[in-house]
Amino acid sequence: QVDESSTRRYGGAGLGLGQRAAVRRLGAARGHDRTGQPVVSRDGTWTEPVAAGGRPCARRSTSRGPARVSSRPPGFGTEAARMVRNAKHKSANGGRHERISRTDYEARLEQLQIELNQLARWLQHTGNRLLVLVEGRDTAGKGGVISAITEALPPRWCRSIALPKPSERESTQWYFQRYVKYLPAAGEIVLFDRSWYNRAGVEAVMGYCTPEQTSAFLRQAPAFERLLVDDGILVFKYWLTVDQALQEERFADRLSDPLKRWKLSPVDLEARERYEAYGEARDRMLEATHQPHAPWTLVDFNDQRRGRLTLIRHLLDRLPDVSLPEPQIDFPMLSGKPRRERYLGPLKPIRNV
């Protein structure tokens, strides 16, 4: 189960299931240089995917949360589960990477988050503005990688934007208008969990806009982004790839987990049957909006942990590696013994559980 159209057109690196055999069958994959810079594809047209190269991820462990209260409904994702098991077996025998352990992942993520802090301080010092668009199929892992970036940064410096569907008034505005007010100011990082590219993706595939509106958007988006770049905003656009078998597994996981059920909507369920249509819409979008001033980068998110590390590393490698000196803060000893809280009024803390 390989998305063959994107594999052929973007160099074959964004693979998840049966990676090596699929690469041999659909064309040799080319990697990146030491800094992660994508190698130009054979036709000289596209930025290649940033390949995490990991084996397909299994269902997330629930050791840190409550036990599941319902089992997977019969018939939902069962075929996907079989395909995932087969792919795991193939990957174990021929894959280039084992799935990264949680301990290793957290250790590597911590180092990247330290660098993200240095980047945020550089943005504050220089007044530069950073805009990151994170797009991709449902369940690809957009929210997870955004959380990995934002959780270690001050919320006053870094914001995540995930807009609901347009209101009745917003639907009558210039399409980009509702997004403009969320653009970063000096020293800020803004990450869009889906962005104006909804028009080229879900809106086009699900029939929420007309073909004429989609065509107009594809003409206007490069010009709009040119205005942002010319004004000094640093723009990065990422598309997260995931194969359908793993997408099915993640949909089933959301259905059976009460803490993730909110992520599953009727639109998601309808979109399951339109995997190919979403791929075709993505290809049209990339063809029209992959421009030198605002290029796209594809990242393999079949293994979400490796995908997060890959995306963050790629982002950091394309920005100045500047380590500003830490401000010196005096921290003298207290003049006396530490005091305990005292409550002179009628209120006291509630009893701890």
Side-chain angles (χ1 to χ4, degrees), residues 68-128:
R68 301 185 190 278
V69 297
S70 61
S71 61
R72 177 183 299 151
F76 186 96
T78 52
E79 176 66 12
R82 182 188 65 79
M83 295 170 66
V84 169
R85 285 194 299 271
N86 291 343
K88 288 175 185 174
H89 175 74
K90 293 178 182 178
S91 184
N93 286 278
R96 293 167 57 188
H97 296 281
E98 292 293 325
R99 185 170 187 267
I100 188 171
S101 68
R102 178 180 293 276
T103 300
D104 188 18
Y105 164 72
E106 291 177 349
R108 294 168 63 178
L109 178 61
E110 182 179 3
Q111 293 301 313
L112 293 174
Q113 289 176 333
I114 291 173
E115 294 186 50
L116 285 170
N117 267 270
Q118 295 173 347
L119 169 64
R121 293 179 59 241
W122 173 77
L123 292 169
Q124 286 285 309
H125 179 74
T126 61
N128 281 303

Side-chain angles (χ1 to χ4, degrees), residues 171-340:
S171 63
T172 66
Q173 297 174 346
W174 176 49
Y175 182 74
F176 297 93
Q177 186 170 337
R178 70 193 294 247
Y179 298 98
V180 170
K181 64 181 178 180
Y182 297 103
L183 295 175
E188 291 182 348
I189 302 171
V190 171
L191 301 104
F192 274 96
D193 184 347
R194 297 193 185 273
S195 64
W196 45 85
Y197 282 101
N198 274 343
R199 170 123 309 174
V202 61
E203 292 185 23
V205 174
M206 303 301 294
Y208 300 151
C209 65
T210 66
E212 292 75 19
Q213 289 175 317
T214 302
S215 298
F217 168 80
L218 294 176
R219 291 194 307 270
Q220 294 173 7
F224 174 67
E225 291 165 3
R226 167 61 76 181
L227 293 174
L228 302 182
V229 173
D230 287 349
D231 198 58
I233 298 178
L234 304 170
V235 179
F236 291 85
K237 303 188 299 188
Y238 291 98
W239 179 275
L240 315 187
T241 73
V242 61
D243 295 320
Q244 191 172 23
L246 279 169
Q247 186 184 50
E248 283 288 284
E249 182 78 0
R250 293 170 189 174
F251 275 140
D253 189 44
R254 290 179 178 185
L255 186 63
S256 62
D257 188 339
L259 299 182
K260 299 178 184 178
R261 184 66 180 269
W262 63 271
K263 296 182 178 182
L264 196 61
S265 70
V267 174
D268 297 329
L269 297 180
E270 187 175 351
R272 293 173 57 225
E273 300 298 332
R274 306 193 185 192
Y275 185 89
E276 290 295 331
Y278 272 99
E280 293 168 359
R282 174 208 57 215
D283 289 347
R284 290 192 298 270
M285 178 196 75
L286 294 176
E287 184 173 4
T289 63
H290 177 71
Q291 301 293 332
H293 62 272
W296 281 97
T297 301
L298 278 62
V299 189
D300 182 350
F301 260 68
N302 283 305
D303 183 331
Q304 291 183 327
R305 291 177 185 170
R306 287 192 183 276
R308 292 171 197 153
L309 298 176
T310 301
L311 189 152
I312 297 173
R313 179 74 271 160
H314 181 273
L315 177 65
L316 289 168
D317 284 343
R318 272 138 196 85
L319 292 166
D321 184 8
V322 178
S323 180
L324 297 175
E326 294 282 353
Q328 295 297 321
I329 300 176
D330 293 331
F331 196 72
M333 296 284 291
L334 291 172
S335 58
K337 292 183 178 181
R339 299 171 181 264
R340 298 189 63 180

